[in-house]
Amino acid sequence: SHTALGDTQVLEKLAAICERDHLRTLNISHVGMTDRGCGNMLEEFLTGKYQCIMSLVLSGNRLQDPTKCNLTGVLKWDQCQVSTLDLSGNEYFATTKLAGVLTYNTSITSLNVTDTQWPDDSIKALGVHLLGDNCSLPLSFISFGSLQVMPTTTVSDLSTKEAQLTAGSQILLFGLLKRNDSIKKLNLQNNTIGASESKALAGALRSEEHTSE
């Protein structure tokens, strides 16, 4: 983390480190890695060498395309064990594409995409997927813009009254609510909630025993 290694040195060091089958968290943040370097690294994931890794931190790099950097392949892989994914600070990363790929994933529980490119309609699409009865994505925590629901924070009492969530962020929040039983109190004061968002909230509350204020 926070070293100017670039693509080549990252791969060289990673090869030795990841031979250790006890490694659970891999932090390659702020090392100047591009799609090409990340793609070569994650290609190794698909060989089954690094199945022990459950937390992957790629924040603050120069990643842009989930297909070119091989995240698409890893997240669609039926043996993927990664549950925590941090892509924050990749300013030009196409999170819209990532959101589509996540609908095929069955392992990600926590996602950090703060300071990436993510239009509201794509945020809403992921929320709609989470609300679906056939959704197998276990996503419960997310960090993006004003929507902050992360395992490192106390979420038993979640307040969004100062956040002014967009319609898409509201739908995504309600999708998370359907799967996150740690949220016992939800304050949506000062947020404008439309008809479709109200319907989504009702669906989420029916699925679990949550208290909403």
Side-chain angles (χ1 to χ4, degrees):
S1 175
H2 287 87
T3 56
L5 293 176
D7 291 339
T8 304
Q9 286 184 288
V10 164
L11 291 174
E12 291 174 352
K13 293 181 179 295
L14 184 66
I17 293 173
C18 287
E19 288 178 356
R20 305 171 185 175
D21 59 8
H22 62 273
L23 188 67
R24 296 292 179 267
T25 298
L26 181 60
N27 187 334
I28 316 179
S29 60
H30 301 275
V31 298
M33 188 164 55
T34 66
D35 284 342
R36 181 180 179 182
C38 186
N40 291 334
M41 177 193 73
L42 294 184
E43 188 174 344
E44 294 296 304
F45 268 68
L46 298 175
T47 67
K49 289 182 180 179
Y50 310 143
Q51 278 187 277
C52 56
I53 294 175
M54 302 181 70
S55 178
L56 183 59
V57 182
L58 301 170
S59 58
N61 285 301
R62 293 184 287 163
L63 306 181
Q64 296 186 27
D65 190 299
T67 300
K68 291 180 179 178
C69 72
N70 239 336
L71 266 175
T72 295
V74 170
L75 294 176
K76 285 186 175 182
W77 188 35
D78 59 3
Q79 297 181 52
C80 178
Q81 300 294 317
V82 177
S83 58
T84 300
L85 179 61
D86 186 347
L87 291 162
S88 61
N90 286 281
E91 184 179 0
Y92 299 107
F93 190 78
T95 308
T96 296
K97 293 183 179 180
L98 177 71
V101 173
L102 283 172
T103 61
Y104 298 93
N105 181 265
T106 59
S107 64
I108 297 294
T109 61
S110 178
L111 177 66
N112 188 340
V113 285
T114 300
D115 296 327
T116 65
Q117 303 289 323
W118 199 6
D120 201 53
D121 57 346
S122 178
I123 297 174
K124 180 178 180 178
L126 181 57
V128 169
H129 176 70
L130 289 172
L131 288 163
D133 293 334
N134 297 320
C135 174
S136 57
L137 176 64
L139 187 66
S140 299
F141 304 99
I142 197 162
S143 177
F144 176 78
S146 56
L147 184 56
Q148 302 289 327
V149 184
M150 296 300 288
T152 53
T153 59
T154 301
V155 295
S156 58
D157 184 356
L158 180 63
S159 175
T160 66
K161 64 180 182 180
E162 304 297 334
Q164 291 294 303
L165 299 178
T166 64
S169 292
Q170 289 177 25
I171 296 290
L172 181 53
L173 172 61
F174 303 152
L176 296 174
L177 183 64
K178 184 176 181 179
R179 286 166 169 71
N180 190 326
D181 58 8
S182 66
I183 300 175
K184 302 302 181 183
K185 185 177 180 181
L186 177 62
N187 188 345
L188 296 168
Q189 182 181 346
N190 296 329
N191 279 274
T192 301
I193 302 178
S196 60
E197 291 75 40
S198 296
K199 184 178 179 180
L201 175 59
L205 293 177
R206 280 196 301 269
S207 66
E208 297 288 347
E209 293 184 358
H210 293 290
T211 299
S212 177
E213 283 195 353

